[in-house]
Each structure stands twice: as C-alpha cells, then as structure tokens.
Amino acid sequence: QVQLVESGGGLVQAGDSLRLSCAASGRSFSNYAMGWFRQAAGKERELVAAISTSGGNTFYADSVKGRFTIARENAKNTMYLQMNNLNPDDTAVYSCAAKSPSSSSGYYVRQDSYNYWGQGTQVTVSS
C-alpha cells in the first residue's frame, strides 16, 4: 500500500510556472505507475499526465502538451509535475495517483486503473 501527499499548489498569474510534488510513503514506490489528474469546479476529473514505473515512458493530455512535464525520482519516492505558461483553464485541484501492479514500461490513462489517490492540491491561475 502507498500513501500519497501532493504539494506545491497555489495562486499564480497567467504565464507563470509551478511545480507540483507528490510524495509517496509506503513500500516499493518504483513498482507503481503514476499519474496526475485534475478536476476543475463543475467538471469531471481528467488525466493530465502519466508516467511509467521507471519514468521512461510518459503521456500528456493534448491541453498540456508542450507546457507540462511529468517526472519521478524513485530514490526519493517522489513524482513531479512542472507546469509552465499556465493559463486560467489550468485552474483545478490536482491529484496524484498510483497503480500497482504495473507493467515495467507502461503508463495508464484510465482513472479506474489507479489504486491509490492523494487528497489534491489547488492550483489557481488568474488572468
């Protein structure tokens, strides 16, 4: 089992950057495929980015491609989401999620694939 805690959210202006972190406690973080999801007010939760266990394979939603970067440091049990050139449409609660078991090279895009979820961190982008 793994526990996930997000940090790094906040209020920024359009064009600014933020880096979110997802700290995992528990066993065998490197065995979990990971993902970042977000949910804006009144909208369904959506996948932002996903990453394989080793970090070698990644996926991005079209809306963030070229602006966001997902990464992980297995030695630190931490995953990151670097968000650049933020715009008001990026305003949402961002949550990290973990899936185990996972294939060694795969990432997962379906929400129901993930076993564990963090509580989320609010990102607000003003225009």
Side-chain angles (χ1 to χ4, degrees), residues 16-107:
D16 285 351
S17 298
L18 275 177
R19 188 176 80 156
L20 304 183
S21 298
C22 173
S25 59
R27 302 176 62 180
S28 304
F29 175 71
S30 59
N31 291 340
Y32 291 83
M34 302 292 294
W36 282 103
F37 291 79
R38 67 185 181 186
Q39 186 168 21
K43 296 186 177 181
E44 294 186 354
R45 186 164 57 187
E46 62 177 0
L47 176 69
V48 175
I51 191 166
S52 61
T53 55
S54 67
N57 291 306
T58 57
F59 171 88
Y60 296 94
D62 287 344
S63 59
V64 306
K65 202 172 293 184
R67 300 188 298 124
F68 290 13
T69 302
I70 189 172
R72 65 190 296 165
E73 286 190 76
N74 286 343
K76 294 185 177 181
N77 285 8
T78 304
M79 176 179 66
Y80 305 98
L81 185 68
Q82 177 66 43
M83 305 186 295
N84 297 330
N85 194 21
L86 286 159
N87 63 63
D89 289 339
D90 297 316
T91 295
V93 175
Y94 285 71
S95 300
C96 60
K99 172 184 168 43
S100 180
S102 304
S103 70
S104 61
S105 60
Y107 51 74

Side-chain angles (χ1 to χ4, degrees), residues 103-124:
S103 70
S104 61
S105 60
Y107 51 74
Y108 298 84
V109 299
R110 292 174 56 93
Q111 295 186 40
D112 58 8
S113 296
Y114 290 86
N115 315 86
Y116 305 100
W117 293 83
Q119 292 299 309
T121 185
Q122 177 71 45
V123 172
T124 304

